[in-house]
Amino acid sequence: MKKGKSKPSYKCSCCGETYDELPLCFGSEYPDYYFSVPPDEREQRIELKESLCVVDKQHFFHRGRITIPIIDHTENLVFNVWISISEDNFGKRIDLWEDPSRINAEPYFGWLQTIVPTYGDTLNIKTIAKEQEVGIIPAIKSIEEEHLLTIDQEKGITYKRATEIVDRILREQHNEK
Ligand SMILES: [Zn+2]
């Protein structure tokens, strides 16, 4: 935390719930595919551990982080998402789990497995993942051509636009309660 910089508090436009600062980090607990498995079969068919998930020993997912730069703010908008990767790449991630040199590993391909709120249809769009330091989930970059998510990640967004996005997400979340 930087000292001496007061952050504007934020009030949800639907219910007036106030936050000390604009919430900028959102995430999903499971890959979307998880929900296609009936609840009473999940225990048997799904292996879930922290940021890793395997379904039926043939669908491999891991969690990663999509960052959208906010060009006129000190923090960025972050979505913790899941991507589907090959068994081969999944194996490599396990091998490199505790290896500090993994930041030099080649980026690898994945299909996005999370609906990123306010970004339309993001299921199964193309992404590239890049390993980070040990203890940090990989960085995910959308490479789906002409998709808003790709454009925003590349060009960044304004704080005003971030506020609009966050407001829409919070309204949705609050309506679900
Ligand atoms: Zn609200």
Side-chain angles (χ1 to χ4, degrees), residues 3-23:
K3 280 185 182 171
K5 268 207 165 184
S6 67
K7 287 182 185 154
S9 66
Y10 179 74
K11 195 184 241 184
C12 177
S13 70
C14 76
C15 62
E17 187 175 339
T18 46
Y19 299 81
D20 290 342
E21 55 191 87
L22 185 68

Side-chain angles (χ1 to χ4, degrees), residues 26-124:
F26 299 90
S28 175
E29 288 300 305
Y30 308 102
D32 196 71
Y33 193 80
Y34 174 96
F35 300 103
S36 68
V37 177
D40 60 338
E41 295 173 21
R42 283 175 191 164
E43 200 182 332
Q44 206 180 0
R45 292 173 54 193
I46 300 177
E47 285 175 73
L48 184 72
K49 201 184 160 204
E50 293 170 14
S51 296
L52 303 171
C53 180
V54 180
V55 180
D56 296 331
K57 295 187 166 56
Q58 56 175 326
H59 302 285
F60 301 87
F61 308 96
H62 75 50
R63 214 196 300 246
R65 172 164 289 188
I66 286 183
T67 300
I68 298 173
I70 303 176
I71 50 186
D72 50 357
H73 190 58
T74 48
E75 286 166 74
N76 297 320
L77 179 60
V78 166
F79 296 101
N80 290 325
V81 299
W82 292 83
I83 62 169
S84 159
I85 57 176
S86 69
E87 183 172 10
D88 190 36
N89 275 328
F90 192 83
K92 276 184 199 158
R93 309 294 62 94
I94 307 281
D95 293 344
L96 294 171
W97 198 256
E98 303 280 353
D99 185 347
S101 74
R102 71 182 196 178
I103 49 170
N104 302 315
E106 281 291 304
Y108 51 98
F109 181 82
W111 301 101
L112 194 57
Q113 269 289 306
T114 297
I115 296 166
V116 179
T118 77
Y119 276 91
D121 187 6
T122 58
L123 281 186
N124 292 315

